[in-house]
Amino acid sequence: MSIWFTEKQTENFGITMKINKTYVSEQTEFQKLDMVETEEFGNMLILDGMVMTTQKDEFVYHEMVAHVPLFTHPNPKNVLVVGGGDGGVIREVLKHPSVEKAVLVEIDGKVIEYSKQYLPEIAGDLENPRVEVKVDDGFMHIATSNNEYDVIMVDSTEPVGPAAKLFEKGFYEGISKALKEDGIFVAQTDNPWFTPELISQVFSDVSEIFPITRLYTANIPTYPSGLWTFTIGSKKHDPLEVPADRFHDIETKYWTPQLHTAAFALPKFVSDLI
Ligand code: AG3
């Protein structure tokens, strides 16, 4: 007998994977959490029935969330990650020597706990002395931060459940306040096939607050449609005008200096959304 997991990505469409083992299946204080071993993509974290990360393709998302804004900022020292309890974005952030402190604010301590156990190569750097882990509500953390961060990364779940308020305009206003005067932020903003309205809405909200707003994409096979978007809001530095000598050597599997710029070249139906 074999067991298969399906994420219903829409009412009528899904992705299905063969599961070898279920390590965890529990209702946390905030969401349903499953940690499984898949045949094709290694261990996989699922929240509320949605694929969050897998050992095989996690590098794409985590590198693209971290390196695009961090190379856009000339000297990022203080960094905040909202969500991201699996630790993948933090691992990438620490590859930047200018970063003195990276704060992770994850609402669900269970995500951190089980990621350390079952996704060690993703969560391993959460113990690094440059990292401060807070199990707390990211929305509240943003609301109480002023002029503190150079770069903020929003590594959230989908706009349902605990993360819904992380897609609202008031949240982006809070982010602007929490950033220093030349700060920059990035948020994962879902996919253009099934959630085009979300991309348009976020882009329009962010561009009312930040003088520079940009959208870029990456290919993530286990996420809905595989074509994922990220929205950047920046007060001063334009991700499309990074001087070539700023790209220092860094070990990556997806991000390259060429891709940093190429990722902003959008298919027509995607650029029509913004
Ligand atoms: N956060 C964004 C995952 C969204 C995936 N959506 C879905 N499967 N419907 C990923 C967290 C990784 N650190």
Side-chain angles (χ1 to χ4, degrees), residues 158-177:
E158 302 265 345
V160 286
K165 52 190 196 295
L166 305 185
F167 290 82
E168 287 169 8
K169 190 170 177 195
F171 180 62
Y172 305 127
E173 282 162 351
I175 286 185
S176 173
K177 189 173 59 67

Side-chain angles (χ1 to χ4, degrees), residues 43-271:
N43 290 356
M44 173 167 82
L45 170 68
I46 308 167
L47 295 176
D48 284 338
M50 292 176 275
V51 175
M52 288 297 124
T53 205
T54 81
Q55 284 178 315
K56 189 167 171 177
D57 71 351
E58 56 88 9
F59 67 92
V60 182
Y61 178 93
H62 294 133
E63 289 182 14
M64 290 304 277
V65 167
H67 301 316
V68 175
L70 284 170
F71 277 118
T72 299
H73 195 289
N75 188 22
K77 289 189 183 146
N78 290 317
V79 171
L80 171 68
V81 178
V82 176
D86 53 61
V89 175
I90 287 286
R91 180 193 63 204
E92 297 304 317
V93 166
L94 294 177
K95 293 179 180 172
H96 292 254
S98 69
V99 173
E100 293 166 359
K101 191 171 167 203
V103 180
L104 177 92
V105 183
E106 162 65 53
I107 199 167
D108 193 340
K110 292 283 182 189
V111 172
I112 300 173
E113 181 187 328
Y114 290 127
S115 298
K116 283 183 176 167
Q117 203 173 341
Y118 297 104
L119 304 168
E121 61 297 296
I122 305 180
D125 285 325
L126 289 173
E127 311 287 344
N128 187 291
R130 286 193 282 159
V131 178
E132 184 186 340
V133 176
K134 294 186 175 178
V135 177
D136 213 341
D137 183 343
F139 189 88
M140 290 309 293
H141 185 88
I142 287 289
T144 53
S145 302
N146 280 302
N147 197 23
E148 264 171 63
Y149 297 105
D150 300 301
V151 178
I152 296 177
M153 292 136 189
V154 185
D155 180 9
S156 66
T157 54
E158 302 265 345
V160 286
K165 52 190 196 295
L166 305 185
F167 290 82
E168 287 169 8
K169 190 170 177 195
F171 180 62
Y172 305 127
E173 282 162 351
I175 286 185
S176 173
K177 189 173 59 67
L179 284 169
K180 292 187 184 156
E181 74 286 341
D182 66 342
I184 173 164
F185 96 98
V186 66
Q188 71 88 2
T189 42
D190 223 299
N191 77 88
W193 290 97
F194 306 137
T195 59
E197 304 81 9
L198 177 90
I199 293 170
S200 300
Q201 185 62 53
V202 170
F203 197 89
S204 125
D205 289 347
V206 172
S207 56
E208 280 170 26
I209 303 166
F210 289 85
I212 299 164
T213 308
R214 306 263 182 238
L215 188 78
Y216 64 98
T217 66
N219 168 247
I220 305 175
T222 58
Y223 286 178
S225 90
L227 180 59
W228 212 249
T229 73
F230 305 85
T231 302
I232 278 196
S234 179
K235 294 188 182 181
K236 183 163 170 210
H237 307 291
D238 189 337
L240 291 173
E241 280 164 27
V242 177
D245 62 358
R246 189 175 299 154
F247 295 122
H248 57 79
D249 264 353
I250 188 171
E251 209 183 297
T252 58
K253 287 200 276 182
Y254 192 87
W255 184 93
T256 65
Q258 292 74 22
L259 194 69
H260 175 101
T261 304
F264 292 88
L266 301 173
K268 178 76 166 52
F269 83 104
V270 181
S271 65

Side-chain angles (χ1 to χ4, degrees), residues 1-32:
M1 190 188 79
S2 56
I3 297 181
W4 292 72
F5 159 79
T6 295
E7 175 184 338
K8 267 184 74 186
Q9 299 176 333
T10 75
E11 274 309 300
N12 312 299
F13 190 86
I15 187 173
T16 299
M17 281 172 255
K18 187 169 164 193
I19 304 299
N20 295 333
K21 242 184 250 156
T22 299
Y23 298 112
V24 180
S25 183
E26 78 176 50
Q27 183 67 42
T28 73
E29 193 185 338
F30 300 97
Q31 52 208 342
K32 177 82 195 306

